[in-house]
Amino acid sequence: MLVLGIETSCDETGVALYETERGLLANLLHSQVQQHAPFGGVVPELASRDHVRKITPLVRTALAQGGAALGDLNGVAYTAGPGLQGALLVGAAFGRTLAWSLDIPAVAVHHMEAHLLAPLLEGAMPPLPFIALLVSGGHTQLVKVAGVGCYEMLGESLDDAVGEAFDKAAKMLGLGYPGGPQIAACAAHGDPNRFRFPRPMTDRPGLDFSFSGLKTFTLNTIRDHAPLGEQDRADIARAFEEAAVDTLLIKCRRALAAQDLDHLVIAGGVSANVRLRQRLAARLGGQVHYASPALCVDNGAMVAYAGHQRLAAGQSEPLSIVVKARWPLPELGSAAPANGDA
Ligand code: KG4
Ligand code: ZN
């Protein structure tokens, strides 16, 4: 089964081809970072317009790279939420219409399920059930995974997502957008012992997160030490990253202990963070699973793969174009487990 995957939920146009036997045949990404950078964040209208410009050429290139023609496709998968409404509509309208014109099934993919399944593109499914930490620009969630589509929300952020906190901290420090990789690079030169930032909500039971206080603490530290020199910036970035990573680590360990489970999957853009990966690996060894960095951030491959799993289970969309800016993960229905084709 050959599936075209389309990702347009935010500021990246991703298009990929996934085939049951041969795996990933093409994976193309156009990043809009340069367009949004002057504004310090994503401008939704600019994002939608750029997806419109890029989607057709990317699909053409993906097919050429994969040595496939439109007529070879057996299904089309597109991200239908959560994300920016206008941006989602571009991929959904394109994908649903293409599938209709080819008389093949289409499947609406949940962006966070796609993130969650991305590590399976490179490795086997950990023993079920396992805990997943989903960390992106819009979400910070701890989920118990009993199978593809069987998700129980254990905890989530009550305010900012951790990726959003990275982006805002970077902006306050005068670093570029997106902030996660910039904070990580800057923190590499920082002194871990100069500042200690709070680990929010770790002093009380529960698995929810809150990152707005950490953001305020960062802002106050910046104000107290203005004007900042290079070393101040690096030390603050380091303290911020340590606090964010430590908070995630504490909650992951708590979730594993509470559920009496051993295996943890981390996914979403922030799972590309090297310090987070190192700290979790030091604690959990081979029981922590993550994708290579290119598959942690938004991409079409994860959408093609998640869509493939659902199409293989016989699921498809009716002839309508529906996107959901908000879409709780536990609302997803079950799909057949991976068929060993990862
Ligand atoms: O999953 P993603 O690409 O898009 C969303 O679904 O939101 O995640 C983007 C987020 C951004 O907030 C970005 O700053 C963060 O992931 N990010 C990182 C790193 N790479 C990306 N955060 C920390 N360290 C990184 N290396
Ligand atoms: Zn994402």
Side-chain angles (χ1 to χ4, degrees):
M1 180 190 288
L2 180 64
V3 178
L4 174 71
I6 299 171
E7 158 61 36
T8 65
S9 69
C10 190
D11 59 347
E12 250 111 27
T13 320
V15 174
L17 283 177
Y18 182 86
E19 206 272 333
T20 313
E21 303 297 330
R22 293 187 291 158
L24 206 54
L25 303 185
N27 184 23
L28 299 169
L29 193 73
H30 167 70
S31 170
Q32 304 176 351
V33 161
Q34 299 299 337
Q35 271 145 290
H36 301 293
F39 304 96
V42 179
V43 182
E45 181 59 24
L46 290 183
S48 312
R49 290 182 197 193
D50 199 60
H51 288 310
V52 171
R53 272 192 291 271
K54 294 297 176 338
I55 195 161
T56 307
L58 280 175
V59 168
R60 284 212 173 97
T61 312
L63 288 167
Q65 270 190 14
L70 276 177
D72 297 327
L73 293 176
N74 304 111
V76 179
Y78 51 86
T79 304
L84 300 172
Q85 189 92 2
L88 289 166
L89 271 171
V90 177
F94 184 99
R96 187 67 197 87
T97 309
L98 180 65
W100 169 76
S101 70
L102 296 171
D103 199 19
I104 56 175
V107 65
V109 169
H110 191 293
H111 184 78
M112 298 314 291
E113 175 172 79
H115 273 305
L116 166 52
L117 299 180
L120 306 188
L121 276 160
E122 299 171 319
M125 170 96 84
L128 293 164
F130 59 82
I131 301 289
L133 173 72
L134 304 180
V135 275
S136 69
H139 294 82
T140 308
Q141 299 179 325
L142 272 166
V143 182
K144 181 175 176 182
V145 180
V148 177
C150 303
Y151 308 125
E152 183 189 341
M153 193 64 63
L154 302 176
E156 58 190 322
S157 181
L158 305 178
D159 41 55
D160 292 359
V162 64
E164 191 180 353
F166 267 93
D167 293 337
K168 288 178 177 168
K171 197 170 178 178
M172 290 182 233
L173 284 168
L175 304 172
Y177 160 85
Q182 307 270 354
I183 291 268
C186 186
H189 312 290
D191 174 359
N193 300 316
R194 178 157 169 213
F195 299 109
R196 185 176 165 84
F197 283 19
R199 276 71 170 147
M201 293 183 68
T202 53
D203 56 351
R204 66 189 96 155
L207 295 170
D208 286 333
F209 302 87
S210 164
F211 289 100
S212 68
L214 180 58
K215 192 179 64 186
T216 310
F217 195 92
T218 307
L219 183 62
N220 290 339
T221 308
I222 291 171
R223 285 193 177 138
D224 289 348
H225 294 81
L228 297 186
E230 274 310 296
Q231 193 58 48
D232 297 323
R233 234 184 280 284
D235 294 345
I236 292 172
R238 181 67 188 259
F240 173 87
E241 190 184 45
E242 288 289 342
V245 166
D246 214 27
T247 303
L248 296 175
L249 181 83
I250 291 167
K251 292 289 164 99
C252 284
R253 285 170 47 205
R254 199 178 277 180
L256 289 165
Q259 296 290 328
D260 197 18
L261 295 174
D262 299 321
H263 286 265
L264 176 76
V265 167
I266 57 169
V270 182
S271 69
N273 185 277
V274 173
R275 202 169 304 278
L276 176 65
R277 295 155 84 112
Q278 283 172 346
R279 293 282 308 278
L280 284 168
R283 275 280 170 179
L284 302 172
Q287 289 162 337
V288 58
H289 311 263
Y290 42 75
S292 54
L295 293 177
C296 291
V297 291
D298 289 351
N299 65 82
M302 66 183 193
V303 178
Y305 180 72
H308 175 276
Q309 301 310 100
R310 290 195 169 268
L311 287 164
Q315 298 180 9
S316 65
E317 293 306 300
L319 195 52
S320 56
I321 298 164
V322 179
V323 298
K324 298 176 185 173
R326 291 180 181 279
W327 188 1
L329 193 59
E331 278 182 12
L332 278 181
S334 166
N339 300 323
D341 51 4

